[in-house]
Amino acid sequence: MLGSRNWRAMRDTRRYRHNYPDLIERDSNGDMPNLSFYRNEIRFLPNGCFIEDILQNWREDYDLLEENHSYIQWLFPLREPGVNWHAKPLTLREIEAFKSSEEVRERFVQAYELMLGFYGIQLEDRDTGQVRRAQNYQKRFQNLNRHSHNNLRITRILKSLGELGLERYQAPLARFFLEETLVRGELPAVRQSALDYFVFSVRCARQRRRLLRFAWEHFRPRRKFVWGPHDKLRRLRPAEGAGSPGDPLRQAGASGRTCGPGRAEGGDGAAAGAPSPPGAPGGALARDREGEAGGRGEEDPEPPSPKESKKRKLEASRREQAPGEPGAQSASDVEKIALNLEGCALSQSSLGGGAQESGSQAPGEAEQPGPQDAGAKVAEEVRKRRKVDQGPGDGSSVGGDGGDSGTKRPVPAWHGAVPGRPEAQEGENGVEEAGGWAGLQPAASGSSATAGPWLDKEAEVGP
């Protein structure tokens, strides 16, 4: 488990730091068993005794403290249930009563000192919460290494300190275990719990960041530190020695404040940014999740999606394409091609038998070599359309029925055949057609007034 993040621990400690946002307290009917126990009014269950008996008679009975598993939920109650179903979860009313009773607060500090002695630790300063090694620490450290369930007890103690008004005691205890495990090489069985649970049970975001900075400085190999983003931890001020005059934890405890005005209740220790305003979207819980999600450190980024990979490959191939090489056609180019094709289809459908015309050339007549001139193409198209518009009829007028102008334009008469040309045939539209418009000649008897207008237009667009 060393060098890996315990995501279950992350969710558990985050839920605690945010005061259990999903917790719904049950109606206790006015009962406050945890407060009654600390007032020395009831015994702890099952098969327990009064708290005064524990504080006076269990102080150096380490075997009893180790083997009995029922008292710890009563000495350090939490708002979440424990394995002892006889112990009731702490309620908000009990928390307020704990903080307002001097007698209860004193017993709570004595219970904390009792458990510190069991772990080989001594409370050096009640004001700041600074701790140090006790004289018998070596034997007690051995017991800690042998019995890992004490890691759960320490986590409970840290959480209970934050619930019952001794939040300033959290960071010094977590710092003590970081020093013992990362700096002095003691308590190898506690190291993972210290990084996963102890540090992240500290509610003050600023103190939690300092603890993470300290842990990052002394963790080896540093590249495997996964409890905070390395770039942000590197920018933090190096942590001072524990207990030194410049130690921020000691200064905070001496001034009587736990986290100060800049406290971000949900801010994550891995996030070094400034807290968002209270009305910001997502709130403290969103910031906390974002900070802990960034706790991957300097790991490689996640691989891109298949769609993104294909897009990058396409862009790379376009950049590598030679300058003279035709590239992929844009949407506008495709649109122009479609319009041109549509125009060609319309012209062919309007002509009807245009396909037969092009294929009805006489066998003995050779095709004209070379590409046709652009002007000739336009003139040919005009002639084709005009013939279709004229329709059948001999001598019928085109363009008017003797209106105001009284001018009629007769349709030019055509000979049935021209020597050396194929016979004219009637097409699908009832129009006389030959092998091509070049084989049709106007009648010699036609006057210039009859064929003039049509020939004039042909001359305008002709080559």
Side-chain angles (χ1 to χ4, degrees):
M1 292 294 294
L2 292 179
S4 61
R5 186 73 185 270
N6 187 337
W7 296 103
R8 181 179 179 182
M10 183 200 73
R11 290 190 297 267
D12 175 75
T13 54
R14 183 176 60 201
R15 181 171 176 260
Y16 158 75
R17 291 197 307 270
H18 290 280
N19 299 304
Y20 307 96
D22 57 341
L23 180 64
I24 300 177
E25 288 188 359
R26 297 181 180 179
D27 186 11
S28 59
N29 295 324
D31 295 337
M32 293 188 287
N34 296 290
L35 182 63
S36 298
F37 172 72
Y38 260 91
R39 285 177 175 172
N40 207 37
E41 296 174 354
I42 61 172
R43 296 180 174 87
F44 74 85
L45 298 174
N47 304 321
C49 58
F50 292 99
I51 188 172
E52 282 295 330
D53 295 337
I54 297 177
L55 297 178
Q56 295 178 10
N57 303 324
W58 291 28
R59 186 167 295 275
E60 295 183 359
D61 195 345
Y62 298 139
D63 293 336
L64 180 59
L65 290 172
E66 178 64 43
E67 295 171 1
N68 193 313
H69 300 282
S70 301
Y71 69 92
I72 193 69
Q73 287 87 2
W74 290 88
L75 280 183
F76 300 96
L78 296 178
R79 296 183 63 197
E80 55 186 288
V83 294
N84 181 7
W85 63 274
H86 292 281
K88 303 302 178 183
L90 192 65
T91 64
L92 295 177
R93 288 182 57 196
E94 287 181 319
I95 291 175
E96 295 302 323
F98 262 83
K99 295 178 180 179
S100 60
S101 174
E102 184 177 352
E103 175 189 6
V104 169
R105 291 201 310 270
E106 175 62 25
R107 286 186 176 134
F108 186 61
V109 174
Q110 292 181 16
Y112 179 58
E113 291 176 328
L114 169 70
M115 295 307 299
L116 288 180
F118 173 65
Y119 297 132
I121 307 171
Q122 180 180 351
L123 181 60
E124 184 179 10
D125 192 338
R126 279 196 170 195
D127 293 332
T128 62
Q130 291 299 321
V131 294
R132 64 182 180 185
R133 286 177 171 179
Q135 295 181 355
N136 60 343
Y137 78 92
Q138 292 181 345
K139 291 183 178 180
R140 304 318 309 154
F141 280 12
Q142 292 176 4
N143 183 76
L144 267 177
N145 281 322
R146 287 196 304 265
H147 301 93
S148 60
H149 70 91
N150 285 290
N151 296 337
L152 301 176
R153 290 179 172 181
I154 296 173
T155 303
R156 170 176 281 272
I157 292 172
L158 285 166
K159 290 181 177 180
S160 187
L161 291 173
E163 294 283 12
L164 298 178
L166 291 179
E167 188 176 318
R168 66 183 184 275
Y169 283 12
Q170 289 181 315
L173 183 60
R175 170 69 174 261
F176 174 84
F177 283 108
L178 290 178
E179 288 184 355
E180 294 294 337
T181 55
L182 300 179
V183 180
R184 300 178 180 177
E186 301 282 352
L187 302 173
V190 184
R191 173 178 168 173
Q192 188 73 23
S193 293
L195 291 167
D196 285 338
Y197 285 94
F198 300 172
V199 172
F200 289 96
S201 294
V202 177
R203 274 185 167 161
C204 177
R206 184 168 60 250
Q207 293 179 357
R208 196 163 60 249
R209 285 194 291 266
R210 290 173 181 146
L211 292 172
L212 284 172
R213 165 72 189 202
F214 178 83
W216 176 73
E217 285 179 336
H218 298 281
F219 188 89
R220 297 294 181 272
R222 185 176 291 179
R223 59 183 176 83
K224 291 187 177 181
F225 187 86
V226 296
W227 292 271
H230 294 199
D231 55 342
K232 292 184 179 181
L233 292 172
R234 191 179 291 109
R235 291 195 298 266
L236 290 176
R237 186 176 61 183
E240 306 237 359
S244 62
D247 184 14
L249 302 181
R250 173 179 283 274
Q251 293 176 357
S255 60
R257 59 182 172 86
T258 55
C259 196
R263 170 180 176 179
E265 293 182 358
D268 185 75
S276 303
L285 184 58
R287 294 195 305 271
D288 198 34
R289 289 178 178 174
E290 180 182 358
E292 292 192 347
R296 296 176 57 191
E298 296 178 351
E299 294 179 6
D300 296 333
E302 295 182 1
S305 62
K307 185 177 180 181
E308 187 69 20
S309 300
K310 290 181 181 178
K311 184 178 178 182
R312 292 179 182 177
K313 290 179 181 179
L314 180 60
E315 292 176 355
S317 63
R318 287 178 178 175
R319 288 195 298 267
E320 294 174 0
Q321 191 175 13
E325 244 180 86
Q329 293 175 333
S330 63
S332 59
D333 296 337
V334 175
E335 200 172 306
K336 291 177 182 177
I337 294 173
L339 291 174
N340 292 337
L341 292 175
E342 184 179 357
C344 294
L346 289 174
S347 62
Q348 289 181 4
S349 62
S350 63
L351 292 175
Q356 295 179 359
E357 292 175 4
S358 62
S360 61
Q361 191 174 8
E365 186 176 0
E367 294 182 3
Q368 295 181 0
Q372 197 173 7
D373 188 69
K377 289 182 180 180
V378 175
E380 183 181 1
E381 184 70 16
V382 170
R383 285 195 297 270
K384 290 180 181 180
R385 290 181 180 275
R386 183 166 287 105
K387 183 174 180 181
V388 173
D389 295 335
Q390 287 172 355
D394 39 350
S396 62
S397 62
V398 179
D401 54 354
D404 296 339
S405 62
T407 305
K408 294 184 180 180
R409 295 193 301 174
V411 179
W414 303 93
H415 286 291
V418 179
R421 299 290 180 181
E423 293 291 336
Q425 300 175 354
E426 185 174 356
E428 297 177 359
N429 298 328
V431 181
E432 289 184 344
E433 298 176 353
W437 286 101
L440 300 178
Q441 298 293 337
S445 60
S447 63
S448 60
T450 304
W454 183 79
L455 293 176
D456 290 342
K457 291 184 178 180
E458 180 183 354
E460 291 176 3
V461 296

